[in-house]
Amino acid sequence: MNDRVAYWVDIADYDYDTAKALMESKRYLYVGFMCHQVIEKMIKAYWSKVLEEPPLKIHTLSRLAQKTGLADQMTQEQKMFIADMQHLNIEARYPEDRMKLAQHLNENVCEHILEETDKLRLWIKEKL
């Protein structure tokens, strides 16, 4: 694994551990946000493996996956999951959306998000 790939994997793994800690402390809004970060950084790790240029400084998971060709390898369920995750990056940042989002993110929803994030994280890691 080259240094650029390792950089992204290391911070994605750190963010995953952070998401688990937030889950334990019941900070559900930020569990979703950190899971988005995990997936974004893992896709950027894959980008660093397959493309010469540095990853785009964007946060749209589906666009990043498409630019790397990773989307072509994903199952329909994985594509739907990253599409569903997209709003967790934006809405967690803005006060007017946070309350609405916080009502949706409960323990069961976040357990599912965390589990699916881990599956996708490990799936991408296998490709590295």
Side-chain angles (χ1 to χ4, degrees):
M1 190 179 300
N2 72 44
D3 290 345
R4 292 180 307 146
V5 173
Y7 164 79
W8 289 110
V9 170
D10 288 346
I11 59 175
D13 288 346
Y14 184 89
D15 287 351
Y16 180 71
D17 290 342
T18 300
K20 290 192 306 186
L22 290 166
M23 183 70 188
E24 289 175 19
S25 64
K26 300 183 184 323
R27 293 183 175 258
Y28 301 129
L29 177 66
Y30 293 102
V31 170
F33 177 78
M34 290 310 299
C35 285
H36 179 284
Q37 293 295 298
V38 170
I39 296 165
E40 179 182 330
K41 291 168 184 169
M42 287 304 296
I43 294 172
K44 288 181 177 181
Y46 187 78
W47 179 302
S48 296
K49 176 184 165 91
V50 300
L51 299 171
E52 290 296 318
E53 73 262 15
L56 293 176
K57 293 181 180 180
I58 63 170
H59 309 288
T60 310
L61 302 176
S62 57
R63 184 160 177 231
L64 289 166
Q66 288 170 347
K67 294 283 282 181
T68 63
L70 192 59
D72 296 334
Q73 302 172 54
M74 289 180 161
T75 66
Q76 190 61 32
E77 290 80 20
Q78 289 170 321
K79 290 177 189 177
M80 288 173 45
F81 178 66
I82 66 170
D84 290 343
M85 292 295 291
Q86 189 55 50
H87 74 283
L88 297 177
N89 181 54
I90 303 301
E91 291 179 18
R93 294 177 188 242
Y94 296 101
E96 61 271 13
D97 296 323
R98 287 173 62 169
M99 292 304 293
K100 189 171 37 172
L101 184 59
Q103 291 172 348
H104 171 71
L105 293 174
N106 59 39
E107 184 174 3
N108 290 334
V109 169
C110 286
E111 283 177 359
H112 174 73
I113 290 170
L114 200 55
E115 181 181 315
E116 292 303 313
T117 296
D118 193 34
K119 287 181 193 175
L120 189 56
R121 178 179 72 95
L122 295 174
W123 180 79
I124 296 170
K125 205 179 259 194
E126 286 177 8
K127 298 186 172 306
L128 300 174

